[in-house]
Amino acid sequence: MQKPTLPKGTRDFGPVQMAKRNFILDTIKETFRLFGYEQLETPAMENLSTLTGKYGDEGDQLLFKILNSGDFLKKVTPQDIQEGASATLSKVAEKGLRYDLTVPFARYVVMNRHELTFPFKRFQIQPVWRADRPQKGRYREFYQCDADVIGTDSLLCEAEIILMIRRVFEKLGIQDYSIKLNNRKVLTGIAEVIGEAGKEGPLCVAIDKLDKIGREKVEEELLERGFGPAAIQKLAPLFESSAENISEVLTFLEDFLQASEIGLQGIKELQEMLQLLNSLGANQEHLVLDFLLARGLSYYTGAIFEVKAHGVQIGSVSGGGRYDDLTGVFGMPNMSGVGFSFGVDRIYDVMEELGLFPDQTLTGSQVLLAHFDGKAYGYALGVLSKFRAQGIRAEVYPDLTKMKKQLDYASKKGIPFVAICGDDEIKNETIAFKNLETGEQESMKVEDAINRLI
Amino acid sequence: MQKPTLPKGTRDFGPVQMAKRNFILDTIKETFRLFGYEQLETPAMENLSTLTGKYGDEGDQLLFKILNSGDFLKKVTPQDIQEGASATLSKVAEKGLRYDLTVPFARYVVMNRHELTFPFKRFQIQPVWRADRPQKGRYREFYQCDADVIGTDSLLCEAEIILMIRRVFEKLGIQDYSIKLNNRKVLTGIAEVIGEAGKEGPLCVAIDKLDKIGREKVEEELLERGFGPAAIQKLAPLFESSAENISEVLTFLEDFLQASEIGLQGIKELQEMLQLLNSLGANQEHLVLDFLLARGLSYYTGAIFEVKAHGVQIGSVSGGGRYDDLTGVFGMPNMSGVGFSFGVDRIYDVMEELGLFPDQTLTGSQVLLAHFDGKAYGYALGVLSKFRAQGIRAEVYPDLTKMKKQLDYASKKGIPFVAICGDDEIKNETIAFKNLETGEQESMKVEDAINRLI
């Protein structure tokens, strides 16, 4: 007899995990909706022509491809086999699994450009699949949770992203975290100022590793990537700056970037965003201006965000930024947008580590009806319906069995109350209402038990 | 420039469709939870060894297979190619996409048998994929929405399924429908009584087509399937019975099946289920006892359910039944269970056809803040925050543009109210609150507008 297993890198989510995940996702959805974002869902499968070439060579390798249905070999020759997998791929697979939510979003916008009203604000919460090597905290199937606005370059979108992040974290009870901000134009300006104009790409890639490998290794990498020693020397003030609060950092940057028009433009955008935040009646709590923040993604053209939770092993739990041309690759140029993503798995781990999940995430039954015999079972069914009629999640143990087994069932499932039914209860039209946590048991009318649970 | 398309048989769900789908799914989830069912999610991918052989030969053909990552050809020889797809398949694909929610559920139960508390009541709402030929109403990706109890043969589960179906349909506003009931043992009994004991399988397959092809063709098919003319003759009372309400039908069946012990057992189960329904304080509304109801699925061993909506083209919108051995194939025998499934796409179509979606399915913004100039924009941002602080879904048009464009935006997005901000409003600390449906516009304090929207 075969023993079933899960494909590596995938997970089941049982009842307890689902309740906790839903607590996070419901909080995020409610926040997105409060800010006027509407939900989109796209298919798990996309044409490979939609997906390939969008995530770099490595990304193409990590796409899960779906074998054509029917006789998938019909176009394949023995010679193809000798030439190898890449020659054969296009003949056996036309579709792949979604790798992220951004490319399907761009595809949706382009296909529905004539029906959509711009600016278009959408959120999307769906799994994505990557054929990565599985390891702790890295899965082959995981949820992404994205919100994007497309069709406007208003910096209000950036300001509202900050508000949404703060609202979600407040509702989840995560208090100790930073929202790091930067602007790609600041990074471009830095490249100009150090005399390596146009090389902010490799500059970002190297600087992005600062937290992990330290300044010295970053400088080594920059040398390897062809940056001159003079340029690297000119970066020094950035590594050494002691500016802390936002206005100090802005002052420092204005000085450092004075020779770069685009750099100063980046500063202006940051200032305008902060001004909009002020108009919205919000302060600068949790905000950190991190002018070395680059994030790996090279398509950001304006704001860059990253959220870090403090006091936990896990670092970045959310991130995003502005891109000027998301849909150009599908033939619809000049659509500026800004988006960000909550890392649901990581937020889950942070909340677990900090013990932040409230008891109310429980979505299982609130009360179990237990019974001593067939007659009591019949009585319990009537009581059950009264609980449910008031919206109380309730169930009856469905078989005639020992009371201990019924209490064990409630206890193992985390059902907090048991309403025990026997001859006395039938006679007095009551229930014996037992709190499993304290062990207390009290005889009462069903209506009184209902009032305690509502 | 490539023009992107969707893989055939797949769909995007835009904001309006998502809001309507969520209305249906939220209603179903709330009902499942009220009855003590808890949510499970399993991965989109399963090992092919888990999936194949569970859905018959046709099902195996319809499984979407995922190409092994990396050099998927490494085990394939030119000779394999000449032998064909089925010889090569196991060398290029080890995983497939979920085909239904039942097999992954069985796999989950077996893998977690030592941690689970039985009876285990779970619901699961996730997409499934089938490489079927796409046609109207049939997709290659669609949601299933299942609830099952496993580990008890209590007929209370059947009675509660009826209550859940009725509650969901009541909340959705679907009034005209039948819940057809039968029991596999009744069908087994019928086979015995007509002298074709053990042939209820082919009998069911043929009878299942009664609605579509009529009695005559069913009889022809039975002949072809090896049923004798005498046996077919003995079926006649079943086709001709005029028994209508449940007690009449039960009386008729008791008479017809008197020579079959198992048939009478089926009747007893139906009676007990109706008795439990009575103990739960529920009537028999919407119930129809249809002793020819078979549904294609041969693994049902007890109760069989099917829900039909009336007055619409679409027929069956929900169905299920009891199975005695769901997990045996994975090495865990004798787990009786009962489950059913809501057809979400079909319920959606029924509600659309009958115009049953309430306006409250709207989950987009309730109010748009519009502004005449930069100064009014700043003012609008303050007002915006007041709306949101009270939980009202609100947004501001993020760019400085003509009023007409802002009103068009609200109108196209179905935002019902616009709060217009200009010099007068700033001076008087008010908004011009416009109802886009009626065209009415009124000057008022923000607090008054909030009170209207809460």
Side-chain angles (χ1 to χ4, degrees):
Chain A
M1 189 63 70
Q2 58 166 316
K3 202 177 156 192
T5 56
L6 275 173
K8 62 179 177 178
T10 70
R11 296 164 288 174
D12 291 317
F13 296 109
V16 174
Q17 290 148 304
M18 280 306 297
K20 290 177 175 176
R21 286 170 63 85
N22 284 335
F23 176 71
I24 296 172
L25 293 177
D26 290 347
T27 303
I28 293 173
K29 283 183 207 169
E30 191 218 344
T31 301
F32 286 160
R33 290 195 176 114
L34 191 66
F35 282 75
Y37 287 76
E38 294 187 279
Q39 195 168 8
L40 172 69
E41 284 193 3
T42 64
M45 300 178 206
E46 294 278 354
N47 291 319
L48 279 176
S49 57
T50 299
L51 299 175
T52 43
K54 310 302 188 297
Y55 307 107
D57 287 345
E58 199 199 356
D60 286 351
Q61 292 298 319
L62 298 183
L63 289 172
F64 278 111
K65 288 105 183 169
I66 294 165
L67 212 51
N68 293 339
S69 37
D71 179 8
F72 63 89
L73 282 178
K74 78 181 164 233
K75 296 180 197 156
V76 178
T77 64
Q79 200 190 330
D80 288 328
I81 301 300
Q82 272 149 353
E83 283 182 30
S86 56
T88 313
L89 178 63
S90 66
K91 296 186 173 180
V92 300
E94 280 161 13
K95 294 181 288 293
L97 291 179
R98 192 165 55 214
Y99 181 87
D100 72 357
L101 303 179
T102 307
V103 167
F105 171 56
R107 193 259 314 136
Y108 174 82
V109 169
V110 172
M111 282 178 66
N112 296 277
R113 58 208 291 180
H114 300 300
E115 288 74 44
L116 292 176
T117 311
F118 295 97
F120 179 56
K121 302 167 88 166
R122 85 85 174 79
F123 74 89
Q124 191 169 354
I125 301 179
Q126 293 190 276
V128 301
W129 296 271
R130 297 184 184 178
D132 240 323
R133 187 184 297 274
Q135 58 184 55
K136 190 175 179 316
R138 191 203 280 164
Y139 301 98
R140 292 185 148 193
E141 172 181 81
F142 58 97
Y143 270 75
Q144 287 195 337
C145 183
D146 283 20
D148 291 79
V149 193
I150 192 162
T152 173
D153 54 11
S154 166
L155 291 160
L156 180 66
C157 307
E158 278 84 337
E160 292 199 334
I161 284 174
I162 292 165
L163 293 185
M164 288 195 285
I165 293 169
R166 291 210 296 227
R167 186 178 192 278
V168 165
F169 280 63
E170 188 190 327
K171 299 267 168 196
L172 294 180
I174 303 174
Q175 295 176 329
D176 195 9
Y177 67 93
S178 309
I179 305 174
K180 292 182 173 190
L181 290 182
N182 197 11
N183 191 300
R184 169 66 176 266
K185 297 188 176 82
V186 167
L187 293 166
T188 306
I190 291 172
E192 282 187 11
V193 162
I194 65 170
E196 299 278 6
K199 286 174 75 173
E200 70 268 29
L203 179 67
C204 289
V205 171
I207 286 182
D208 199 35
K209 298 177 188 163
L210 185 63
D211 275 359
K212 282 185 196 147
I213 62 176
R215 175 176 171 184
E216 213 166 308
K217 298 260 181 205
V218 166
E219 290 179 342
E220 276 172 31
E221 179 165 339
L222 286 170
L223 268 176
E224 281 165 28
R225 287 178 180 273
F227 285 76
I232 294 170
Q233 185 58 38
K234 283 187 189 154
L235 282 174
L238 298 177
F239 295 127
E240 291 156 11
S241 161
S242 65
E244 282 206 3
N245 68 49
I246 294 183
S247 60
E248 280 172 16
V249 176
L250 283 169
T251 307
F252 165 79
L253 278 182
E254 270 184 317
D255 183 49
F256 186 83
L257 294 172
Q258 60 187 301
S260 164
E261 197 180 330
I262 191 160
L264 292 174
Q265 173 65 20
I267 293 171
K268 214 178 120 207
E269 289 183 9
L270 285 164
Q271 283 166 328
E272 189 181 331
M273 186 180 71
L274 294 168
Q275 178 52 46
L276 285 165
L277 210 54
N278 188 50
S279 296
L280 285 160
N283 59 26
Q284 297 185 357
E285 213 179 343
H286 296 293
L287 291 188
V288 173
L289 194 46
D290 177 358
F291 48 77
L292 294 178
L293 176 68
R295 291 179 61 84
L297 296 166
S298 56
Y299 59 73
Y300 291 140
T301 53
I304 303 173
F305 301 100
E306 186 166 85
V307 184
K308 291 218 167 189
H310 301 158
V312 286
Q313 284 217 313
I314 300 131
S316 166
V317 292
S318 174
R322 180 170 287 277
Y323 38 81
D324 271 350
D325 191 18
L326 187 68
T327 54
V329 68
F330 296 123
M332 187 182 178
N334 303 323
M335 290 294 281
S336 185
V338 58
F340 76 110
S341 188
F342 283 110
V344 181
D345 284 315
R346 290 181 171 201
I347 291 175
Y348 186 103
D349 290 345
V350 167
M351 291 188 63
E352 201 70 286
E353 195 172 335
L354 297 176
L356 291 177
F357 284 110
D359 293 341
Q360 300 95 285
T361 58
L362 171 82
T363 53
S365 292
Q366 296 160 273
V367 59
L368 174 77
L369 279 288
H371 40 79
F372 281 106
D373 53 29
K375 199 174 152 209
Y377 180 56
Y379 176 75
L381 293 179
V383 175
L384 177 66
S385 293
K386 287 188 188 171
F387 277 116
R388 286 182 183 153
Q390 299 304 317
I392 290 166
R393 299 185 303 276
E395 59 185 296
V396 66
Y397 196 89
D399 298 298
L400 296 179
T401 188
K402 285 181 202 152
M403 183 54 61
K404 186 178 176 311
K405 191 168 173 190
Q406 300 180 55
L407 293 175
D408 279 355
Y409 172 84
S411 169
K412 280 187 197 152
K413 285 191 69 177
I415 301 176
F417 294 96
V418 179
I420 300 172
C421 303
D423 287 342
D424 284 354
E425 285 73 26
I426 297 174
K427 201 177 74 189
N428 302 322
E429 296 184 17
T430 56
I431 50 174
F433 195 60
K434 189 181 175 71
N435 179 328
L436 285 192
E437 201 187 332
T438 64
E440 267 179 281
Q441 182 173 323
E442 232 180 306
S443 175
M444 63 178 79
K445 296 274 173 203
V446 181
E447 291 67 27
D448 293 329
I450 288 172
N451 285 331
R452 292 212 187 170
L453 291 175
I454 276 177
Chain B
M1 189 62 70
Q2 59 166 315
K3 202 177 158 192
T5 57
L6 274 174
K8 63 180 175 176
T10 69
R11 297 164 286 175
D12 290 318
F13 296 109
V16 174
Q17 290 149 302
M18 280 306 296
K20 290 178 175 175
R21 287 171 62 84
N22 284 335
F23 176 70
I24 295 172
L25 293 177
D26 289 347
T27 303
I28 293 173
K29 283 183 210 171
E30 190 218 345
T31 301
F32 286 159
R33 290 193 176 116
L34 191 65
F35 282 75
Y37 288 75
E38 295 187 276
Q39 193 167 8
L40 172 70
E41 283 193 4
T42 63
M45 299 179 203
E46 294 278 355
N47 291 320
L48 279 177
S49 57
T50 300
L51 299 175
T52 43
K54 309 303 188 299
Y55 307 106
D57 288 347
E58 200 198 353
D60 286 351
Q61 293 298 319
L62 299 184
L63 289 173
F64 278 111
K65 287 106 183 166
I66 295 165
L67 211 52
N68 294 339
S69 37
D71 180 7
F72 64 90
L73 283 178
K74 74 180 165 237
K75 296 180 196 157
V76 178
T77 64
Q79 198 188 331
D80 289 327
I81 301 301
Q82 272 149 351
E83 284 181 30
S86 56
T88 313
L89 178 62
S90 65
K91 296 186 172 179
V92 300
E94 281 160 14
K95 294 181 289 293
L97 291 179
R98 191 166 53 215
Y99 180 87
D100 72 357
L101 303 179
T102 307
V103 167
F105 171 55
R107 194 259 315 135
Y108 174 81
V109 169
V110 173
M111 282 179 67
N112 297 277
R113 59 208 292 180
H114 301 301
E115 288 75 45
L116 291 177
T117 310
F118 295 97
F120 179 55
K121 302 167 88 167
R122 85 87 173 78
F123 74 89
Q124 191 169 352
I125 301 178
Q126 291 190 277
V128 301
W129 296 270
R130 297 183 183 179
D132 240 324
R133 187 183 296 275
Q135 57 185 54
K136 190 175 179 317
R138 191 202 281 164
Y139 301 98
R140 293 185 146 193
E141 172 181 79
F142 58 97
Y143 269 75
Q144 286 195 339
C145 183
D146 283 20
D148 290 79
V149 194
I150 193 162
T152 174
D153 54 11
S154 168
L155 291 160
L156 180 67
C157 307
E158 278 85 339
E160 291 198 334
I161 283 174
I162 292 166
L163 293 185
M164 287 195 285
I165 293 169
R166 291 210 296 227
R167 187 179 192 276
V168 165
F169 280 63
E170 188 192 327
K171 298 268 168 196
L172 295 179
I174 302 175
Q175 295 175 330
D176 196 8
Y177 67 94
S178 310
I179 305 175
K180 292 182 174 189
L181 290 182
N182 197 11
N183 191 299
R184 170 66 177 266
K185 298 188 176 82
V186 167
L187 294 166
T188 306
I190 291 172
E192 283 187 11
V193 162
I194 64 170
E196 299 277 7
K199 286 172 77 174
E200 70 267 27
L203 180 67
C204 291
V205 171
I207 285 182
D208 201 35
K209 299 177 187 162
L210 186 65
D211 275 0
K212 282 186 195 145
I213 63 176
R215 175 176 171 184
E216 214 168 307
K217 296 259 182 207
V218 167
E219 290 178 344
E220 276 173 30
E221 181 165 339
L222 286 169
L223 267 175
E224 280 165 27
R225 287 178 180 271
F227 286 74
I232 294 171
Q233 184 58 36
K234 283 186 188 153
L235 281 174
L238 298 178
F239 294 128
E240 290 155 12
S241 161
S242 64
E244 283 206 2
N245 69 48
I246 293 183
S247 60
E248 281 171 15
V249 176
L250 284 170
T251 308
F252 165 79
L253 277 182
E254 270 184 316
D255 184 49
F256 186 83
L257 293 173
Q258 57 186 302
S260 164
E261 198 180 330
I262 192 161
L264 293 174
Q265 173 65 21
I267 293 171
K268 214 179 120 205
E269 289 183 8
L270 285 164
Q271 283 167 329
E272 190 181 330
M273 186 181 73
L274 294 168
Q275 178 52 45
L276 285 165
L277 211 53
N278 187 51
S279 295
L280 284 160
N283 60 24
Q284 299 186 356
E285 213 179 344
H286 297 293
L287 291 189
V288 174
L289 194 47
D290 178 356
F291 49 75
L292 294 178
L293 177 67
R295 290 179 62 86
L297 296 167
S298 56
Y299 59 74
Y300 291 140
T301 53
I304 303 174
F305 301 100
E306 186 166 86
V307 185
K308 291 219 166 188
H310 301 157
V312 287
Q313 285 217 312
I314 300 131
S316 165
V317 292
S318 174
R322 179 171 288 277
Y323 38 82
D324 271 351
D325 191 17
L326 187 69
T327 53
V329 69
F330 295 123
M332 187 183 181
N334 303 321
M335 288 296 281
S336 185
V338 56
F340 76 111
S341 186
F342 283 110
V344 181
D345 285 315
R346 290 181 171 201
I347 292 175
Y348 186 102
D349 290 346
V350 167
M351 291 188 62
E352 201 70 286
E353 195 173 334
L354 298 176
L356 292 177
F357 284 111
D359 293 343
Q360 300 94 286
T361 58
L362 172 81
T363 52
S365 291
Q366 297 161 275
V367 58
L368 174 78
L369 280 287
H371 39 79
F372 281 106
D373 53 29
K375 197 173 154 212
Y377 181 56
Y379 175 75
L381 293 179
V383 174
L384 176 67
S385 293
K386 288 189 187 171
F387 276 115
R388 286 182 182 154
Q390 299 304 316
I392 291 166
R393 299 186 303 275
E395 59 185 296
V396 66
Y397 195 90
D399 299 298
L400 297 179
T401 187
K402 285 179 201 153
M403 183 54 62
K404 184 176 178 312
K405 191 167 173 191
Q406 299 180 57
L407 292 174
D408 279 354
Y409 172 83
S411 170
K412 280 187 198 154
K413 285 193 67 178
I415 301 175
F417 295 95
V418 179
I420 300 172
C421 303
D423 287 343
D424 284 354
E425 286 72 27
I426 297 174
K427 201 176 74 190
N428 302 321
E429 296 184 17
T430 57
I431 51 173
F433 195 60
K434 188 179 175 74
N435 179 329
L436 284 193
E437 201 187 332
T438 64
E440 267 178 280
Q441 181 172 324
E442 231 180 306
S443 175
M444 63 179 79
K445 296 275 173 202
V446 182
E447 291 68 26
D448 294 328
I450 288 172
N451 285 331
R452 293 213 187 171
L453 292 176
I454 276 177

